[in-house]
Each structure stands twice: as C-alpha cells, then as structure tokens.
Amino acid sequence: VDFLPNPEEQVAVWADKLLALFVNIVFICLTAFAPTLNVQSVVVESFLKIAAILIIIGAGFVYLLTGHTDNIAAGFEGTNPDPKGWGGAINGIIWSYYGWEMICGVTSEVQNPQRNVPIIVGVSVTIVSALYVLTVTSYHIVIPLSDFVQDIPIASQFGLTTMGQFGKIFLALSVLVSSLGNVHCTFLAA
C-alpha cells in the first residue's frame, strides 16, 4: 500500500475505496437476493437521471428567456480551434455514451432481436443525443465559457446560478444518483 505524505489525503483515498466496496456489496446483494427490486431500482435511477436532465434543460432555457444572453452572445470567443485539442472533447463525448457495448450481453433478453435491437438502438441514441446537446446548450447559456476550463463542478455551479443553494445541492445529488445508476446498470448488464 502506498501511503500519501498527508494523512488527510490518505483518509480520503480509503474513504473512496470503502464507499466503492459498500456500493458493490449493495449491488451484489440486490442482484442475489432481490432481483425484482434490483431491476426496479435501475428504473428509478434512470427516471431520476432523466428528470434531472429535463430540469437542467428547462432551467437553462428559462434563464435565457429571462434575458440572460451574455454567454450565448460571446459564442466560442477565445477558444482554440486547433483540431489537435479535440481529442479530450471527443473522449468526453464517447464516455457520455458509455454502456452501448453492453448491448451484446442483453440482446438475448430482447424478444425478436433482429427487428427490435436496431429500433432500440436508433431511438435511444437519438434521444440520448438530443438530451446531451440540449443539456450542454443549457450549461453554455448559464455558465460563462471561461468557467468551463476551471476545475469546478459545472452542475453545481449551474444549479447555484439558476436555482440558488437548493439547486446546487439538488444537482450535486443528481450527479451522484446518475453516477450510481450508471455503475448499477453496468453491474447489472455485465
């Protein structure tokens, strides 16, 4: 075990590992002892994730309709158009679509997969793409472009700007539920 020079950092590392272990144990117990509850919890996590995304989209466009056009008017002024820097952005986009490789593992669960899988993939990719573009557009409406390059939680800043302290906490919890839901779906499909 590598020990960090600062004991507070060491506690944080172990706390992260213990939390991950706890989450895995919960998912294992759900899968083994309560499969129906397991699937129902994935549906609830997915519903909460989509509800939070729709709230973000709505809040961003309400913010725009109330006359806050400064960030949109600036466009992408000051950004680097060099294609060499696009790798990180493309990696982020690919990461947001993480999970599509799981389709091979769950195809056996689908009735009439030759017909239904292409429909499912086409519809779901279209919906996810639309939600992704609208969410990022809402972020750009509310948050100045200069803040995107800083190491700050974008969703929390968005929530604080549009909905106050409640929005900051709500969106931080939404990111937590979304992350847990992603891990849960990956765990369930693996």
Short mmCIF file of all heavy atoms in Angstrom, two decimals, residues 102-114 117 189:
data_model
loop_
_atom_site.label_atom_id
_atom_site.label_comp_id
_atom_site.label_asym_id
_atom_site.label_seq_id
_atom_site.Cartn_x
_atom_site.Cartn_y
_atom_site.Cartn_z
N MET A 102 -22.62 -2.82 -23.96
CA MET A 102 -23.32 -3.83 -23.18
C MET A 102 -24.47 -4.47 -23.96
O MET A 102 -25.08 -5.43 -23.49
CB MET A 102 -23.89 -3.21 -21.90
CG MET A 102 -22.86 -2.66 -20.98
SD MET A 102 -21.86 -4.00 -20.31
CE MET A 102 -20.76 -3.11 -19.28
N ILE A 103 -24.77 -3.95 -25.13
CA ILE A 103 -25.93 -4.44 -25.88
C ILE A 103 -25.78 -5.93 -26.24
O ILE A 103 -26.77 -6.66 -26.28
CB ILE A 103 -26.20 -3.59 -27.12
CG1 ILE A 103 -27.61 -3.86 -27.63
CG2 ILE A 103 -25.18 -3.82 -28.20
CD1 ILE A 103 -28.13 -2.84 -28.56
N CYS A 104 -24.54 -6.35 -26.45
CA CYS A 104 -24.34 -7.77 -26.79
C CYS A 104 -24.76 -8.68 -25.64
O CYS A 104 -25.29 -9.77 -25.87
CB CYS A 104 -22.88 -8.01 -27.15
SG CYS A 104 -22.39 -7.17 -28.66
N GLY A 105 -24.53 -8.24 -24.42
CA GLY A 105 -24.87 -9.06 -23.27
C GLY A 105 -26.35 -9.14 -22.98
O GLY A 105 -26.80 -10.08 -22.34
N VAL A 106 -27.11 -8.15 -23.40
CA VAL A 106 -28.53 -8.13 -23.08
C VAL A 106 -29.42 -8.43 -24.28
O VAL A 106 -30.64 -8.48 -24.16
CB VAL A 106 -28.95 -6.78 -22.45
CG1 VAL A 106 -28.23 -6.56 -21.14
CG2 VAL A 106 -28.72 -5.64 -23.40
N THR A 107 -28.82 -8.66 -25.44
CA THR A 107 -29.61 -8.96 -26.64
C THR A 107 -30.44 -10.22 -26.46
O THR A 107 -31.55 -10.33 -26.99
CB THR A 107 -28.69 -9.08 -27.88
OG1 THR A 107 -27.98 -7.86 -28.01
CG2 THR A 107 -29.47 -9.33 -29.13
N SER A 108 -29.93 -11.18 -25.73
CA SER A 108 -30.67 -12.43 -25.53
C SER A 108 -31.95 -12.21 -24.73
O SER A 108 -32.86 -13.04 -24.78
CB SER A 108 -29.79 -13.46 -24.82
OG SER A 108 -29.43 -12.98 -23.54
N GLU A 109 -32.05 -11.09 -24.03
CA GLU A 109 -33.24 -10.78 -23.24
C GLU A 109 -34.34 -10.13 -24.10
O GLU A 109 -35.47 -10.02 -23.66
CB GLU A 109 -32.88 -9.83 -22.10
CG GLU A 109 -31.79 -10.33 -21.19
CD GLU A 109 -32.23 -11.46 -20.29
OE1 GLU A 109 -33.43 -11.50 -19.94
OE2 GLU A 109 -31.39 -12.30 -19.94
N VAL A 110 -33.99 -9.68 -25.29
CA VAL A 110 -34.93 -8.94 -26.13
C VAL A 110 -35.70 -9.91 -27.01
O VAL A 110 -35.13 -10.82 -27.61
CB VAL A 110 -34.16 -7.92 -27.02
CG1 VAL A 110 -35.11 -7.20 -27.97
CG2 VAL A 110 -33.41 -6.93 -26.16
N GLN A 111 -37.02 -9.70 -27.09
CA GLN A 111 -37.84 -10.51 -27.99
C GLN A 111 -37.65 -10.01 -29.42
O GLN A 111 -37.64 -8.80 -29.66
CB GLN A 111 -39.31 -10.42 -27.59
CG GLN A 111 -39.59 -11.03 -26.24
CD GLN A 111 -41.04 -10.85 -25.84
OE1 GLN A 111 -41.81 -10.15 -26.48
NE2 GLN A 111 -41.41 -11.50 -24.74
N ASN A 112 -37.50 -10.95 -30.36
CA ASN A 112 -37.30 -10.63 -31.78
C ASN A 112 -36.15 -9.64 -31.96
O ASN A 112 -36.35 -8.52 -32.46
CB ASN A 112 -38.60 -10.10 -32.40
CG ASN A 112 -38.53 -10.09 -33.91
OD1 ASN A 112 -37.57 -10.56 -34.52
ND2 ASN A 112 -39.56 -9.54 -34.53
N PRO A 113 -34.92 -10.01 -31.56
CA PRO A 113 -33.80 -9.06 -31.58
C PRO A 113 -33.43 -8.55 -32.98
O PRO A 113 -32.96 -7.42 -33.10
CB PRO A 113 -32.65 -9.84 -30.95
CG PRO A 113 -33.04 -11.27 -31.03
CD PRO A 113 -34.53 -11.32 -31.06
N GLN A 114 -33.64 -9.35 -34.02
CA GLN A 114 -33.28 -8.90 -35.36
C GLN A 114 -34.07 -7.65 -35.74
O GLN A 114 -33.57 -6.77 -36.43
CB GLN A 114 -33.52 -9.99 -36.41
CG GLN A 114 -32.61 -11.20 -36.28
CD GLN A 114 -33.09 -12.18 -35.22
OE1 GLN A 114 -34.20 -12.07 -34.68
NE2 GLN A 114 -32.24 -13.15 -34.90
N VAL A 117 -33.69 -4.75 -31.88
CA VAL A 117 -32.43 -4.13 -31.47
C VAL A 117 -32.09 -2.92 -32.33
O VAL A 117 -31.74 -1.86 -31.78
CB VAL A 117 -31.28 -5.16 -31.42
CG1 VAL A 117 -29.93 -4.48 -31.27
CG2 VAL A 117 -31.50 -6.15 -30.29
N ALA A 189 -25.71 -5.43 -16.27
CA ALA A 189 -25.56 -5.96 -17.63
C ALA A 189 -24.30 -6.81 -17.79
O ALA A 189 -24.20 -7.58 -18.74
CB ALA A 189 -25.51 -4.80 -18.63
#
